[in-house]
Amino acid sequence: AGSPSTEAEAASGLGRVYQQMSDFGRSLEFHLLDLRLAESNSLPEARCRAYGNIGLAYEAQGDYRLALDYQERHLRSAGELAKEQAKLSALTALGRIHHCLAGYGEAIRYLRDGLQAAEKTGYREEEARLRHRLGLSLWASGRLSDSRQQLQSAFDLFDELRRGERQRLASEQRAALLSAQTACSQALQRVLAALGRPQEALVAAETCQARPFVDLLLDRQAKEADAELSDILQGPMTYDEMLRLVRDCDSSLVYFSLAAGYLYTWLLTPADGLVAFRQTDVNQLDPDFERGGEDSEAHSVASVSAGFFAAPAAAAKAAAAAAAADS
């Protein structure tokens, strides 16, 4: 038989495996075994670990009250042991659980504390995820301006992480960051629309949806050209750039984006820019909406989805960079 520390670590490992398999009952059994071994053999670090994992297992089962209890123990234990990563994990979990229980004030408090810990320890990806969660809790509590600030910061940080680590990250990691950034963008669009800022919401939609195209373009570039083009192509899109492309097309344009259950539609014209903005809860759409009507008329406007501006904008930026290099 191994040492109590080894047995506890093995139990914890099995619990994590079952957690990943979504067998939360078995996961909980092994994490509770980890806790018993830690307590009977005076293993404070193992006990701290077990508290956090038990809290995660109860959270996955939807038992938020017990999840809160164990994550509070996790936080106290992490503080006693001066374990910054464990403290950060506990604060994040407590914020997430309180949000699920509609305790937005408590969620905001824990997430702000977690954000300070992430900034202090330099965990930039965790900082981005905490800002995203904090933005959601602020939104739910009606603090839209504060929510917009956190969501925008989270989006920019996700973007910075993807850009700075693009060559080093595996494709799965890049996809995970893009997925998180997309979810953040959709929340940001919702908040900007609620704030009455349709131009900014349009820019947020296009900036996010352009990213996969830009990634594909950069992947096809020679490695020596990548560093030169990366900052140029991945720079933020602006409303003025979008409007200039509409004018170049010399045609009115209907642009749409589906974000977190809402369909947003913008009408842009070459002469006046954004002239109309509509938002529709897709759950409330008429069944005939997708089929159109037999008497529907053709309109002399282009209809495009998010990401429409990516190709011409990237081509224009690349051309400008080439011209500058030749001059």
Side-chain angles (χ1 to χ4, degrees), residues 29 49 59 103 143 148 153 160 170-171 189 208-209 255 315:
E29 288 178 18
R49 174 188 65 206
E59 181 185 354
R143 297 165 60 179
R148 183 204 65 79
S153 295
E160 185 180 334
S171 58
Q189 290 174 59
C208 184
Q209 293 304 319
Y255 184 103

Side-chain angles (χ1 to χ4, degrees), residues 111-112 115 119 124-138 146-147 149-155 157-158 184:
L111 292 171
R112 285 195 188 280
L115 182 57
E119 291 174 328
R124 298 174 71 247
E125 182 176 343
E126 191 63 28
E127 178 188 344
R129 295 184 184 279
L130 277 160
R131 289 189 182 280
H132 181 194
R133 292 189 182 280
L134 179 56
L136 296 178
S137 292
L138 288 164
D146 290 340
S147 173
Q149 182 180 5
Q150 293 298 335
L151 291 171
Q152 185 66 64
S153 295
F155 181 90
L157 188 49
F158 278 128
C184 185

Side-chain angles (χ1 to χ4, degrees), residues 284-323:
Q284 303 300 320
L285 289 177
D286 188 287
D288 293 331
F289 177 82
E290 293 185 359
R291 296 196 297 269
E294 294 181 0
D295 57 347
S296 61
E297 301 176 357
H299 296 277
S300 58
V301 295
S303 177
V304 299
S305 63
F308 168 76
F309 295 100
K317 289 180 178 180

Side-chain angles (χ1 to χ4, degrees), residues 52 56 59 67-68 71-72 74-75 84-100 106-119 121 123 125-134 137:
L56 291 175
E59 181 185 354
L68 276 179
Q71 290 298 352
E72 286 167 355
H74 186 203
L75 181 60
E84 292 299 324
Q85 180 61 63
K87 178 181 177 181
L88 178 57
S89 298
L91 289 168
T92 301
L94 286 165
R96 184 175 61 241
I97 296 166
H98 277 292
H99 182 97
C100 290
E106 285 294 288
I108 291 168
R109 180 171 69 84
Y110 280 116
L111 292 171
R112 285 195 188 280
D113 288 346
L115 182 57
Q116 290 181 353
E119 291 174 328
T121 53
Y123 295 122
E125 182 176 343
E126 191 63 28
E127 178 188 344
R129 295 184 184 279
L130 277 160
R131 289 189 182 280
H132 181 194
R133 292 189 182 280
L134 179 56
S137 292

Side-chain angles (χ1 to χ4, degrees), residues 51 64-74 76 94:
Y51 284 152
Y64 296 125
R65 297 300 176 185
L66 280 173
L68 276 179
D69 180 35
Y70 277 94
Q71 290 298 352
E72 286 167 355
R73 299 186 200 185
H74 186 203
R76 288 194 297 272
L94 286 165

Side-chain angles (χ1 to χ4, degrees), residues 74-312:
H74 186 203
L75 181 60
R76 288 194 297 272
S77 181
E80 292 168 359
L81 296 170
K83 293 288 185 179
E84 292 299 324
Q85 180 61 63
K87 178 181 177 181
L88 178 57
S89 298
L91 289 168
T92 301
L94 286 165
R96 184 175 61 241
I97 296 166
H98 277 292
H99 182 97
C100 290
L101 291 169
Y104 304 123
E106 285 294 288
I108 291 168
R109 180 171 69 84
Y110 280 116
L111 292 171
R112 285 195 188 280
D113 288 346
L115 182 57
Q116 290 181 353
E119 291 174 328
K120 177 181 177 181
T121 53
Y123 295 122
R124 298 174 71 247
E125 182 176 343
E126 191 63 28
E127 178 188 344
R129 295 184 184 279
L130 277 160
R131 289 189 182 280
H132 181 194
R133 292 189 182 280
L134 179 56
L136 296 178
S137 292
L138 288 164
W139 176 19
S141 68
R143 297 165 60 179
L144 297 181
S145 294
D146 290 340
S147 173
R148 183 204 65 79
Q149 182 180 5
Q150 293 298 335
L151 291 171
Q152 185 66 64
S153 295
F155 181 90
D156 292 342
L157 188 49
F158 278 128
D159 211 34
E160 185 180 334
L161 288 166
R162 290 180 56 252
R163 292 170 61 185
E165 305 292 338
R166 201 179 66 82
Q167 292 293 344
R168 186 182 66 81
L169 294 175
S171 58
E172 295 82 2
Q173 294 172 299
R174 289 165 56 187
L177 281 174
L178 180 60
S179 177
Q181 186 180 24
T182 299
C184 185
S185 171
Q186 291 187 3
L188 180 59
Q189 290 174 59
R190 291 282 307 276
V191 170
L192 288 169
L195 284 168
R197 299 181 180 180
Q199 291 184 2
E200 294 179 43
L202 174 61
V203 171
E206 179 61 21
T207 300
C208 184
Q209 293 304 319
R211 287 302 182 250
F213 173 81
V214 171
D215 282 352
L216 179 62
L217 186 63
L218 288 173
D219 285 341
R220 291 181 176 180
Q221 300 295 322
K223 288 186 178 180
E224 59 271 17
D226 182 79
E228 180 181 349
L229 286 175
S230 180
D231 287 342
I232 297 172
L233 294 180
Q234 296 191 93
M237 174 75 69
T238 67
Y239 174 73
D240 288 341
E241 287 177 318
M242 299 170 77
L243 186 55
R244 183 166 61 249
L245 291 170
V246 171
R247 287 170 177 162
D248 289 344
C249 293
D250 195 26
S251 175
S252 296
L253 181 142
V254 175
Y255 184 103
F256 62 90
S257 172
L258 189 61
Y262 270 70
L263 177 65
Y264 293 121
T265 310
W266 296 262
L267 173 60
L268 299 99
T269 68
D272 301 314
L274 180 62
V275 296
F277 172 68
R278 298 287 183 271
Q279 51 184 316
T280 307
D281 184 346
V282 295
N283 295 316
Q284 303 300 320
L285 289 177
D286 188 287
D288 293 331
F289 177 82
E290 293 185 359
R291 296 196 297 269
E294 294 181 0
D295 57 347
S296 61
E297 301 176 357
H299 296 277
S300 58
V301 295
S303 177
V304 299
S305 63
F308 168 76
F309 295 100

